[in-house]
Amino acid sequence: MPAKRGQSKRNTPEGERGVLVVVESPAKAKSIGKMLGPGYEVRASKGHVADLPERALGVDVEKGFAPTYEVKKEKKEVVEELKRAAEGKRLLIATDPDREGEAIGWHIARLLGRDPKEPIRVEFHEITPKVVRQAVEAPRPIDQNLVDAQQARRVLDRLLGYNLSPLLSQAFRKRALSAGRVQSVALRLVVEREEEIGAFKREVYWLLHGRFRAEGQELWASLYEVEGKRLWAGQGEKEGRLHLKEEGEARRLAQEALRFPYRVGRVEVKERRKAPPPPFTTSALQQAASSRLGYTASRTMRIAQRLYEGVDLPEGTVGLITYMRTDSVRVSPEALALAREVIGKAFGLEYLPESPRVYRNRREGVQDAHEAIRPTDPRRTPESVRPYLSEEEHRLYDLIWRRFLASQMRDALYEHTVVFLEGGSFRFRASGSVLKFEGYLKAWGREEDEEEPPVPALSQGAEARLLEVRPEEKATEPPPRYTDATLVKTLEELGIGRPSTYAPTLETLEKRGYVERRGRTLLPTPLGQEVTDYLRRHFPQVVAYEFTARMEDRLDQVEEGKAPWPKVVWEFYEPFLKELAQVPKKTCPRCGRPLELKVSRYGQFLGCTGYPECTYTEPLEADEPLEEACPKCGRPLVRKRGRFGPFIACTGYPGCDYTRDDAKLTPWACPKCGGRILEKRSQRKRTYYRCENKACDFLSFYPLLSTPCPGCGWPLVKKGEGACLNPACPLHDPALLPKEAPKAKGRAKKALPQGKPRDWEELMPFLPELPKEEQKALEALAQGEALDEAKAKLAKKALFKLRMRKGRAKKEAVVGD
């Protein structure tokens, strides 16, 4: 019997009983399933299936940091489905080709009862039919070194988070605070940059620009030297340079310069070559997408994931780019040959260098298992695949495609000219460049700061006349705030983090409220600054750049099999414990024992470690006093935190029941009831305005103006030159009213069951354990009978009991094994 497409003849017997291929994402499963065809079933684990427990440390420090793993609550059904699908089939694990993917594969193998040392692991560095079929023909055992490296990282993160996060919550009396090796160092960078900006002292300096005529041509040149002293232009050392601090001094010097005759001094004409950048690594892609497309690191990686996992094209489903988590610039010889073919056709043979360019990784310790990020087939131009991509997918693919081709093109060639004009003790300088050959810029494009106006060709020794001199005031600028691009670049230069960590690190900083975005820049919040100060004071090693970078190197050594992972964890944990022991603890006012962070059904609180002997508790978040009086009774207002978040309340409760949402107060009065208007933000980050009185339904998505409507007296809203929001006004614009959504009255009732339950066969063995009435109601439901409301409720109750019993039976079976 001939082997089916995608199967090897020697594996035909296994192919006949089927092969289960497990990947991480459903999109990837769909793409690979189409490529492998019959005989293969492709399922998705949807990320990690097992992890350390949620509400316990899960790490036995005394036994070599032995971790305890459990199936994640939301993945139990996924694991059960994988177990059923794997029965009697050969297993291939094709999770992502990195540490995380290896660890996920290791967990899947254990949970499905397979030996990780068997050849069950396959890797897809690109998702194309050829590569996928080749990979399934050459499985390997799971790499325990990769698993250990991920395990070490996870244990480190748990030890740090489990000890430090509750400490931060206690210190700042806030919920959901966290710290991490990479996260806290990245936050420190943002905070210290803000401190540099705050401490920056602005210095004014003046430049002089002269307009010259020489050999019938005009050109502008800047003052370069006076009496052999270089003019200070805001950069570098000022020692021994001429610093023009005052306008008067600059104008005096300008008048003096006009007194001298000038001639053309030295003329330098040089050829300058600019080599193309290498193909993308993860950090380089995030930087380019941030500066050129305005995408955050997280958004860039989400789009890249879709391009990697597969896109439906006329020829079938295919991944458009190679794996997008890599710090290597290596490219396969086959890809280089295809790139040269496309460059010759698309741009011309004159743009091809004599031989392919080979790039070397600049940083030591780069993991070279993956290629650089590149198109899987550069013959698929951005325009040819545009109809099958979203706008953001097309823009990112275009960026990757152009960068890859540019990396294999000739240097750009510039002619750079510098002209010195000399007269008396003054020396002016003019420089410019002309692009002689575009080279790789034909594909990659020019950066804005690369352009430099050309200067005319002048003969050395020619006479020149200074026509005018214009002073220009300048001032030194503080260092720029970080953007996604520059922060990722700095982390990479310091050796902190790895390709897979940059995007989630930035996302966590924003989610925790440690940083906020202003356009593309990242600013630390007051909370972020306070947390960084606390960590620098009590845990200097946790946020030390060199220490964190060294830990990354040690994790790489674990991956290479050069260091045992428990030893590497201890190298970090031991100094952390010493710092932790020196942090003063908050003590119980009743018995003097330390307080600890506890969690109840109502949230977090502080409780005594002497419980149950001592039952002292106190709320985690104390009320925050506000400099504002209650509009009802005049007592002070405070900010409280309830089940649904922060709110403003009166200190006179229960005598005064005034409360309102915790939102910014505006100076406007509500035109309906006279209450104050609050500025709020929706879940989609859209600003809107509503009355503070909950009984009032005034709402506007436009800021109010101080100008009253001439028709009704309501304040106009800011739309165009002003528009009226009052529905009763003849000048009202109906488009301004928000669309009404149906109001829910209380909690929505769950529908009563109808028809045979989907898991009826699994529930039937436990049916005799129910009371007779519930048995009858459930049997009638399974037979499709119409039930009245009373019987339907009885059947619903019985279903709940049976499913709980089924769950207990599964747990008992696992314990028995």
Side-chain angles (χ1 to χ4, degrees), residues 427-533:
R427 195 180 192 200
F428 287 78
R429 180 181 182 272
S431 66
S433 60
V434 177
L435 181 63
K436 293 293 187 180
F437 177 65
E438 278 188 296
Y440 78 93
L441 298 175
K442 184 79 172 177
W444 184 237
R446 305 183 201 180
E447 302 290 347
E448 291 181 5
D449 57 355
E450 287 179 343
E451 299 295 333
E452 193 176 7
V455 297
L458 298 176
S459 304
Q460 188 168 337
E463 291 185 358
R465 182 184 172 198
L466 179 57
L467 303 176
E468 63 173 311
V469 180
R470 292 182 185 175
E472 180 188 12
E473 184 183 22
K474 303 280 281 185
T476 53
E477 296 288 338
R481 291 187 172 97
Y482 282 111
T483 63
D484 279 38
T486 54
L487 184 56
V488 166
K489 183 179 180 181
T490 304
L491 288 170
E492 185 183 36
E493 288 172 348
L494 292 172
I496 295 166
R498 286 297 179 261
S500 60
T501 63
Y502 298 133
T505 295
L506 297 181
E507 202 167 21
T508 300
L509 291 178
E510 198 172 359
K511 189 190 302 180
R512 297 296 185 204
Y514 294 157
V515 301
E516 60 185 10
R517 294 184 183 276
R518 186 177 296 169
R520 294 187 185 182
T521 59
L522 299 170
L523 282 80
T525 61
L527 176 61
Q529 291 174 319
E530 291 170 9
V531 167
T532 297
D533 288 341

Side-chain angles (χ1 to χ4, degrees), residues 697-709:
D697 63 353
F698 177 81
L699 177 67
S700 172
F701 285 105
Y702 302 91
L704 276 66
L705 301 174
S706 56
T707 310
C709 171

Side-chain angles (χ1 to χ4, degrees), residues 630-734:
C630 174
K632 272 191 174 183
C633 68
R635 296 187 182 97
L637 293 178
V638 291
R639 179 177 285 107
K640 291 177 171 285
R641 189 173 184 91
R643 291 177 60 192
F644 304 105
F647 65 98
I648 308 299
C650 180
T651 52
Y653 181 83
C656 177
D657 62 354
Y658 174 81
T659 62
R660 74 164 189 262
D661 294 338
D662 183 17
K664 181 181 175 182
L665 274 173
T666 72
W668 307 310
C670 174
K672 283 193 172 184
C673 71
R676 292 172 297 184
I677 298 296
L678 304 176
E679 179 183 314
K680 302 196 68 179
R681 283 173 72 82
S682 68
Q683 289 184 348
R684 295 185 177 182
K685 309 296 183 186
R686 185 179 178 186
T687 303
Y688 66 98
Y689 304 86
R690 55 153 292 178
C691 181
E692 66 174 335
N693 297 322
K694 294 180 180 178
C696 180
D697 63 353
F698 177 81
L699 177 67
S700 172
F701 285 105
Y702 302 91
L704 276 66
L705 301 174
S706 56
T707 310
C709 171
C712 65
W714 276 35
L716 297 176
V717 295
K718 190 176 180 180
K719 186 188 180 189
E721 296 181 0
C724 184
L725 196 66
N726 183 3
C729 178
L731 303 178
H732 167 64
D733 181 358

